[in-house]
Amino acid sequence: MATPIPSRQLFIDGQWREPVKKSRLPIINPATEETIGFIPAATAEDVNIAVEAARKAYLRNGGKDWASATGAHRAKYLRAIAAKITERKSELAKLEAIDCGKPLDEAAWDMDDVAGCFEYYADIAEAMDSKKKTHVSVPMETFKCHVLKEPIGVVGLITPWNYPLLMATWKVAPALAAGCTAILKPSELASITCLELGEVCREVGLPPGVLNILTGLGPEAGAPLASHPHVDKIAFTGSSATGSKIMTAAAQLVKPVTLELGGKSPIVVFEDVDLDKAAEWTLFGCFWTNGQICSATSRLIVHESIAVPFLDKLVKWCENIKISDPLEEGCRLGPVVSSGQYEKVMKFISTAKEEGATILTGGTRPQHSKKGYFVEPTIVTDVKTSMQIWREEVFGPVLCVKTFSTEEEAIELANDTKYGLGSAVLSQDSERCERLTEAFQAGIVWVNCSQPCFAQAPWGGRKRSGFGRELGEWGLEIYLNIKQVTQYVSSDPWGWYQSPSKL
């Protein structure tokens, strides 16, 4: 039985609202290439309405309704959202899989993480009540000083298509926990579950305007949001090119931004590993989410002494990966998200061959799939560091390989990238792992694994992978302002100027 696709409008001020220009965009199922529904296409006019709604919600009743309410008050709504997501887990997972192409088992895992993230930030919101005012020790007894943490205001949240609802939650949950009001702009390539978040918010009675959801194209909806004078902060996850544009727009108003951008992360495999365990982590680190993950460890750096048997293992493991419609039981690799992404991935593969690399396995459409944007899991060898496949983010199921002989060479190869999001080392030597952990120029290091992520731990990168941290307590801090309050407590006059009464 086909899963029905809900027909939604824009979610503004707690209500479903038709776009001003009444435009809609098609939803394409990447597994079948069929149009299965439509989403509303917001424009600058809708952005203005949504920002105004968020601003009113932030200031309503002097802020007491949301911004300056207790963390415990806001936590009740976050927990209610988590409960509703859990209640609708099966339906939401199917919608996610149909919309973006990820295997259903992955999408179901994502829904668990969505609910867990809202629960986690509910706990953090409650804990804020005892931390809102922090004493600061100063060296003069005539003064007392403390710091207040306050919500930054109205925030614009622009999110990608690879984890549609989960990436939205990484921003929405901490922003709301902090007391901000928000406008969420998900990717036009996968927006279904983000619109359903609007229905969840309506059902749990989230105050109108606290969260507004605008679907639509980047230039027509995302750009006006990033440059809007009444949006106090932008948080963005996506490509480095778009991140640069958002940063430029925000700079005109000296608006703070946090950016979680692209990556070309390394996974270094030493000669002392268990080949099968290492093979699975290597493939999971690159082919999870159909290879469309910013932190993908897509550059394999393997010790030369085990390169031949290890690559043989990888090929055998690849041949065992089930490639199918995401809703099929046991699917472990679905289609990439769109025809444009399919063409981009295939162009990377053809360029690698033209530049002299070898396609060890994959590199084509699976023989059994006549439709859908499917790409076989691909391993590229004979790679030089000057090649595009080594230097640029593919965002598809493509792993490139180089060998090394010394630890120093492995570190040099690992850091040979303009990005700095993730990194991984596989070895049974704990001291060696510690040395590489310190040497990696990345925001995240995985030891004897790749890609695990927890709401409690910070997530973010360095270099062109962006700045700022999401998740954990760090993910809340980016939505807070710090206010210093200093009070003069002496009964004596300050005495810097001579008093006129004493002349």
Side-chain angles (χ1 to χ4, degrees):
M1 181 177 173
T3 301
I5 307 301
S7 180
R8 301 289 185 197
Q9 300 290 357
L10 304 174
F11 187 69
I12 299 176
D13 207 18
Q15 299 178 351
W16 297 109
R17 181 179 182 132
E18 188 176 30
V20 170
K21 294 188 176 179
K22 305 186 188 311
S23 298
R24 294 180 79 78
L25 299 169
I27 302 169
I28 309 295
N29 181 338
T32 64
E33 304 181 35
E34 295 174 351
T35 298
I36 54 174
F38 296 87
I39 57 168
T43 56
E45 293 85 352
D46 303 298
V47 171
N48 288 335
I49 296 167
V51 171
E52 180 63 23
R55 179 66 57 187
K56 282 183 179 177
Y58 186 79
L59 298 173
R60 190 180 296 128
N61 195 18
K64 294 177 183 177
D65 283 7
W66 190 258
S68 59
T70 64
H73 174 76
R74 295 192 293 269
K76 285 191 292 185
Y77 291 102
L78 297 180
R79 288 209 171 88
I81 291 170
K84 188 65 70 170
I85 295 291
T86 299
E87 180 185 311
R88 294 183 59 186
K89 172 185 170 180
S90 177
E91 173 204 356
L92 291 171
K94 286 179 183 176
L95 291 173
E96 198 80 293
I98 291 167
D99 199 14
C100 73
K102 67 169 57 191
L104 181 60
D105 288 345
E106 277 192 43
W109 194 349
D110 284 0
M111 296 310 128
D112 288 336
D113 286 348
V114 167
C117 192
F118 275 109
E119 286 280 1
Y120 172 74
Y121 280 108
D123 291 342
I124 295 290
E126 287 179 335
M128 283 176 65
D129 289 337
S130 62
K131 299 176 183 176
K132 192 171 183 180
K133 183 176 178 179
T134 306
H135 172 73
V136 177
S137 180
V138 293
M140 296 177 68
E141 293 181 358
T142 50
F143 293 96
K144 284 185 178 179
C145 184
H146 67 272
V147 163
L148 297 176
K149 292 184 177 181
E150 301 174 334
I152 204 166
V154 174
V155 296
L157 313 174
I158 303 176
T159 56
W161 44 258
N162 55 342
Y163 289 83
L165 188 54
L166 184 57
M167 291 295 99
T169 299
W170 281 19
K171 292 173 171 52
V172 170
L176 268 53
C180 296
T181 56
I183 302 95
L184 170 64
K185 194 285 177 189
S187 168
E188 68 277 8
L189 294 177
S191 299
I192 295 175
T193 53
C194 287
L195 286 171
E196 290 311 290
L197 178 60
E199 181 62 13
V200 166
C201 291
R202 194 187 66 78
E203 289 176 0
V204 304
L206 187 73
V210 168
L211 178 63
N212 307 274
I213 303 171
L214 304 180
T215 53
L217 300 173
E220 294 180 6
L225 181 61
S227 61
H228 201 288
H230 294 149
V231 172
D232 300 302
K233 175 194 169 65
I234 293 289
F236 170 77
T237 297
S239 72
S240 296
T242 303
S244 294
K245 291 178 183 177
I246 286 172
M247 196 171 174
T248 300
Q252 310 312 306
L253 299 169
V254 198
K255 182 183 301 185
V257 297
T258 51
L259 302 174
E260 204 264 86
L261 307 176
K264 192 72 179 177
S265 301
I267 181 166
V268 179
V269 179
F270 282 90
E271 69 277 13
D272 59 349
V273 298
D274 177 290
L275 293 186
D276 280 303
K277 290 178 183 177
E280 183 176 16
W281 278 118
T282 298
L283 298 188
F284 184 81
C286 188
F287 300 154
W288 171 246
T289 314
N290 305 335
Q292 300 165 127
I293 178 169
C294 50
S295 59
T297 41
S298 58
R299 291 186 301 132
L300 168 60
I301 302 165
V302 60
H303 194 275
E304 60 186 14
S305 68
I306 61 165
V308 172
F310 188 60
L311 289 174
D312 185 54
K313 286 279 188 188
L314 288 179
V315 171
K316 287 183 170 64
W317 276 78
C318 279
E319 291 169 350
N320 203 40
I321 294 173
K322 181 174 179 178
I323 309 167
S324 70
D325 185 294
L327 298 184
E328 277 192 28
E329 187 175 349
C331 175
R332 286 298 176 264
L333 191 75
V336 296
V337 74
S338 67
S339 60
Q341 192 64 22
Y342 175 82
E343 295 299 333
K344 178 186 169 189
V345 172
M346 298 308 291
K347 179 63 175 172
F348 266 104
I349 294 169
S350 64
T351 299
K353 287 192 284 188
E354 290 167 8
E355 291 183 345
T358 300
I359 308 304
L360 182 65
T361 188
T364 61
R365 171 190 289 275
Q367 290 184 354
H368 67 271
S369 62
K370 305 304 179 188
K371 279 196 170 185
Y373 310 125
F374 293 93
V375 180
E376 287 187 332
T378 302
I379 300 175
V380 184
T381 58
D382 298 317
V383 172
K384 295 178 180 178
T385 57
S386 60
M387 290 180 178
Q388 181 198 48
I389 198 72
W390 178 263
R391 310 213 70 83
E392 299 297 330
E393 182 178 42
V394 177
F395 228 64
V398 181
L399 177 71
C400 65
V401 185
K402 278 196 71 65
T403 62
F404 71 93
S405 58
T406 67
E407 186 176 311
E408 291 73 24
E409 184 185 3
I411 291 168
E412 184 178 345
L413 286 168
N415 290 333
D416 180 34
T417 173
K418 63 189 175 185
Y419 297 108
L421 184 52
S423 55
V425 55
L426 308 187
S427 173
Q428 294 183 41
D429 185 332
S430 59
E431 291 184 0
R432 172 193 278 158
C433 290
E434 197 166 314
R435 289 193 299 272
L436 266 77
T437 293
E438 293 178 359
F440 284 146
Q441 296 169 1
I444 303 158
V445 179
W446 294 293
V447 178
N448 290 323
C449 59
S450 181
Q451 303 309 317
C453 177
F454 303 96
Q456 296 79 7
W459 182 276
R462 51 196 282 192
K463 298 195 276 190
R464 293 195 198 176
S465 289
F467 50 83
R469 291 294 180 270
E470 295 189 302
L471 300 183
E473 294 186 13
W474 303 267
L476 184 88
E477 295 288 336
I478 61 174
Y479 297 104
L480 294 173
N481 270 325
I482 306 298
K483 178 184 284 184
Q484 181 223 118
V485 181
T486 299
Q487 179 182 0
Y488 184 60
V489 295
S490 172
S491 58
D492 296 330
W494 183 225
W496 181 256
Y497 299 107
Q498 187 175 7
S499 171
S501 63
K502 295 180 180 179
L503 294 177

